[in-house]
Amino acid sequence: MKESLYLAGETVIVNLSSRFYNSTEEIVSSDGFAVFLERYFKELAVRDIRVYRWLTNGRPLEEMVPSLIELTKSLLIAPAGRGRPQEMSELDCMKALYIVEDCYRSWRSRSRFTVISGNRADALAENFGEYDEKYSSLIRQLYRSCLEKLSGRAEKVIRETSGGTSGSCLLTKYRIRLPRGYASLRNIPFVARLLLKTPLMMDFDGAEDNIRPISLTANPLASFKLDSRDYYCLPLKVADLLCLTYFHKDYLAQAVCLANLFELAGENDCLEKKADLICLFGLPSDSQQIGYYHDVKNGIHLAAVYRNYRDESFVSIRNAILTLHDLAQLDRGRLPVRGSMMDIFFRDDSRKSLLLLGETGAGKSETLEALRSLSDEVRSDKTVKRLEVVFDGVGSLKIADGQVVANGSETGGFERIGNLSQSVVRDVEKGIFINMQKPDAMVILPFSGYETVRADHRVDMVLYANNYENTAGVERFADYEDCRSCLIEGKRVIRDDEGREMLVSGSPMKFCLTRQQSESYLSIMDEIFGRLLENGVFTGQLYTNLATDHPGNLRESARCLWELLRQQPN
């Protein structure tokens, strides 16, 4: 990236390697400042044409922007506390105050990141956070200085917001091993370190989570050459897989969110093993689908998320990576599952591992909170001491030493704001909040360490979260056919955008691209759940009642679950 400031939609990238700023005067004199002012006025003309006409009074932007820059420079050198400049009329001062406040609001409403290029050993890389903070401090200083000199008074209440930047990325080159045919990826800079100023607020258009995957007949890299000036790579650990996520700089904000969901891989991780998964995000194409390709020769699964309106949602890139995870785990003979897994620690130092299957909104989090509340009401050795999240979204099951064990994939969770449990609310300051002004606002919260997610966890109980049947308690499956039917149908009640409820089916095999993969999934499922039943592991349904007229049944179901856990042998 050569530009000192790059604007794409609601994302701003400030290249501190191209130019570093030591004063507010340098920021005002930069090309980037003029670019942002021009963008602000163009957006204002669309947002509120009456205010735009009032502010510009018919003057073209070619005159307006330079005159505002000169005014800002004069304000910076003017003495403080003397009121508005004498040459300004009261009306012009009022307009200037409006521009300062509204322009700063426009800046803060965007996702703003600094990027710094450097090697791990140099001073720039070591102190990249300090360089970002220096720039952020100058932005806040610029705003306050203009405001105080136009109003003629100092602020009595100073609010220290993250008005400068949302975070910073340290970019560097890794000499990774790439197979033949992947040469266009060789010079793409890697995100080596990230600084996130949480809590962060971000807005993304669209929320498509039901895009049907398609199978590509050729490697997408054969059709696209990635320009190292426009693309970055975010290396991630997804379970025990290495996923290299290459994304266009326009989607830096979406990519950064992944750092709250997955463990960031280091240089040694990328050098010691080849990539298992490659996700290409923001490829130039009119396609509105996500394509997947299996490079059998090199053992790499690839996803191509094309540049279109669906890309604006963070959901697209997350789903692409998790689908790659599912496909790779299926190839290894493991069973990908959707749900939540908790290690429940009791006061007698015993532990039970509970796997709750079901999609978002099934009532998994609510059940665990009710379980914790009930156990606190009764003094017992089986009072819940703590809950440790293994995964909350996507995991996988396998057989090890005759036992079924589970592994996670994400170190964080992607939850609706209304579904947050008390156990994670205390960490809310680490969150990235998405579309807070909408009913379906989401938050991305880290909750587990990578070693916890990657480790094998014995499965002591498996329950399908049933949110649609009006009954209470926990019911054990009569036999495997009963269990198989329930899991494959994947029934649940969801609410559409207008709040209407509907019963839908969500097959756990929806990520499968071919009939062969679907058959493989069923075969592995039969083996895994057959072993669970053979080993006497409790497998059944938990009635959460989240979509019924009797939500109070949830507490009764949690009580039944607690009794079952207490009776389970250690």
Side-chain angles (χ1 to χ4, degrees):
M1 174 178 158
K2 292 183 177 180
E3 306 95 333
S4 60
L5 185 140
Y6 179 78
L7 277 166
E10 296 302 308
T11 299
V12 182
I13 304 176
V14 180
N15 186 357
L16 293 184
S17 295
S18 173
R19 179 172 182 180
F20 186 74
Y21 304 93
N22 291 298
S23 66
T24 53
E25 290 81 0
E26 289 184 9
I27 290 179
V28 174
S29 301
S30 67
D31 293 338
F33 189 75
V35 168
F36 186 79
L37 272 181
E38 185 174 344
R39 173 68 66 87
Y40 162 73
F41 277 106
K42 288 180 178 179
E43 291 179 352
L44 178 62
V46 175
R47 173 164 49 94
D48 195 331
I49 188 63
R50 293 178 63 186
V51 172
Y52 174 81
R53 289 170 177 167
W54 175 67
L55 292 174
T56 59
N57 198 26
R59 297 173 65 188
L61 289 183
E62 293 78 7
E63 294 180 12
M64 191 72 181
V65 170
S67 67
L68 280 173
I69 292 175
E70 290 304 314
L71 172 62
T72 306
K73 290 179 180 179
S74 67
L75 288 173
L76 292 177
I77 62 175
R82 292 191 178 182
R84 71 171 188 266
Q86 293 182 352
E87 65 274 12
M88 290 186 70
S89 68
E90 185 175 350
L91 179 61
D92 286 341
C93 187
M94 185 187 304
K95 290 182 178 181
L97 278 169
Y98 182 93
I99 292 173
V100 169
E101 286 283 16
D102 199 48
C103 191
Y104 188 54
R105 187 182 299 112
S106 174
W107 170 265
R108 288 186 292 111
S109 69
R110 302 171 192 269
S111 301
R112 313 162 316 277
F113 293 93
T114 58
V115 295
I116 301 174
S117 300
N119 298 318
R120 288 179 61 189
D122 62 27
L124 191 65
E126 190 67 25
N127 303 301
F128 85 106
E130 295 180 16
Y131 287 100
D132 172 83
E133 184 52 40
K134 173 67 174 177
Y135 177 79
S136 294
S137 178
L138 289 174
I139 292 294
R140 292 192 295 267
Q141 182 182 336
L142 174 61
Y143 162 70
R144 288 173 182 158
S145 180
C146 290
L147 196 64
E148 290 179 3
K149 290 178 180 179
L150 285 169
S151 64
R153 61 181 183 275
E155 291 183 272
K156 293 184 176 64
V157 179
I158 299 176
R159 296 174 178 86
E160 195 70 18
T161 66
S162 58
T165 67
S166 309
S168 183
C169 303
L170 174 64
L171 305 177
T172 190
K173 297 287 183 71
Y174 291 167
R175 297 184 179 276
I176 61 173
R177 294 179 295 164
L178 290 170
R180 180 173 297 181
Y182 292 74
S184 66
L185 303 179
R186 193 170 304 280
N187 293 317
I188 305 294
F190 278 65
V191 178
R193 296 179 70 188
L194 264 176
L195 170 66
L196 296 179
K197 299 178 181 179
T198 58
L200 283 176
M201 308 292 177
M202 295 190 181
D203 292 311
F204 300 132
D205 293 334
E208 297 289 343
D209 60 356
N210 58 354
I211 303 173
R212 182 70 180 176
I214 61 170
S215 180
L216 301 176
T217 57
N219 192 322
L221 287 173
S223 306
F224 298 99
K225 179 176 175 60
L226 305 189
D227 192 329
S228 60
R229 295 170 298 182
D230 295 331
Y231 283 85
Y232 303 139
C233 179
L234 186 71
L236 302 170
K237 296 179 181 180
V238 184
D240 56 351
L241 303 167
L242 176 62
C243 177
L244 300 184
T245 308
Y246 293 89
F247 61 93
H248 192 279
K249 61 188 178 184
D250 288 1
Y251 303 106
L252 177 62
Q254 286 90 333
V256 160
C257 291
L258 296 172
N260 256 24
L261 272 182
F262 300 100
E263 179 81 2
L264 188 65
E267 184 175 8
N268 290 337
D269 298 310
C270 298
L271 297 180
E272 290 172 359
K273 65 176 295 187
K274 71 169 185 63
D276 302 293
L277 318 172
I278 291 179
C279 182
L280 307 170
F281 190 66
L283 295 179
S285 173
D286 294 330
S287 174
Q288 294 182 358
Q289 292 176 302
I290 301 178
Y292 297 89
Y293 177 75
H294 187 194
D295 182 352
V296 178
K297 179 180 178 181
N298 294 301
I300 301 175
H301 284 273
L302 296 95
V305 186
Y306 299 106
R307 191 185 184 94
N308 55 66
Y309 74 94
R310 295 181 192 265
D311 291 357
E312 295 301 315
S313 170
F314 163 76
V315 175
S316 296
I317 189 170
R318 175 180 181 253
N319 281 357
I321 292 173
L322 292 178
T323 298
L324 288 174
H325 162 271
D326 292 348
L327 293 170
Q329 298 292 32
L330 197 66
D331 283 350
R332 304 161 90 189
R334 301 179 183 182
L335 184 71
V337 292
R338 295 289 191 273
S340 301
M341 185 169 186
M342 287 276 185
D343 282 341
I344 304 174
F345 294 85
F346 297 95
R347 294 199 181 279
D348 63 357
D349 292 330
S350 63
R351 181 183 73 176
K352 299 298 177 187
S353 295
L354 170 66
L355 175 59
L356 289 175
L357 300 178
E359 299 281 356
T360 299
K364 304 183 295 294
S365 299
E366 291 83 354
T367 299
L368 292 171
E369 283 305 308
L371 179 68
R372 187 203 302 272
S373 174
L374 283 168
S375 71
D376 288 343
E377 294 175 7
V378 181
R379 290 192 173 275
S380 163
D381 288 342
K382 286 299 182 181
T383 298
V384 175
K385 184 165 60 176
R386 77 176 192 275
L387 300 175
E388 187 174 279
V389 180
V390 177
F391 63 84
D392 186 17
V394 175
S396 63
L397 303 178
K398 65 182 180 182
I399 297 175
D401 298 326
Q403 301 291 323
V404 175
V405 296
N407 308 100
S409 61
E410 301 167 295
T411 56
F414 185 47
E415 299 284 349
R416 293 186 186 276
I417 298 294
N419 292 348
L420 286 181
S421 61
Q422 293 180 10
S423 58
V424 298
V425 165
R426 65 178 181 271
D427 293 324
V428 75
E429 73 275 5
K430 300 177 183 178
I432 299 177
F433 295 84
I434 297 177
N435 297 341
M436 285 295 290
Q437 77 283 9
K438 297 181 180 179
D440 58 347
M442 307 289 289
V443 62
I444 310 169
L445 277 174
F447 53 67
S448 293
Y450 175 66
E451 295 306 321
T452 298
V453 170
R454 181 180 178 178
D456 291 345
H457 295 261
R458 184 190 68 196
V459 178
D460 296 316
M461 182 180 291
V462 181
L463 298 174
Y464 180 80
N466 181 324
N467 73 343
Y468 60 92
E469 288 193 69
N470 186 9
T471 187
V474 177
E475 181 183 12
R476 195 166 194 162
F477 289 125
D479 51 37
Y480 178 59
E481 288 305 316
D482 191 20
C483 170
R484 195 176 196 263
S485 174
C486 175
L487 296 179
I488 292 176
E489 288 181 359
K491 288 183 179 179
R492 64 184 174 120
V493 167
I494 64 170
R495 288 185 176 88
D496 61 16
D497 294 338
E498 298 179 0
R500 294 173 299 190
E501 294 183 346
M502 59 183 73
L503 181 65
V504 299
S505 294
S507 170
M509 297 180 290
K510 60 185 177 182
F511 69 91
C512 294
L513 305 174
T514 65
R515 177 182 296 180
Q516 182 180 358
Q517 288 173 338
S518 298
E519 292 173 350
S520 177
Y521 183 95
L522 291 174
S523 175
I524 297 171
M525 186 175 75
D526 291 344
E527 180 184 9
I528 294 290
F529 279 87
R531 182 60 58 92
L532 285 170
L533 295 174
E534 180 183 324
N535 292 345
V537 175
F538 190 102
T539 306
Q541 289 192 82
L542 170 75
Y543 296 100
T544 67
N545 286 265
L546 240 63
T548 71
D549 296 330
H550 297 81
N553 286 344
L554 173 64
R555 186 175 175 84
E556 180 60 30
S557 296
R559 186 183 300 278
C560 292
L561 174 58
W562 186 44
E563 292 295 336
L564 283 171
L565 290 169
R566 292 175 63 189
Q567 296 166 12
Q568 289 268 311
N570 292 331

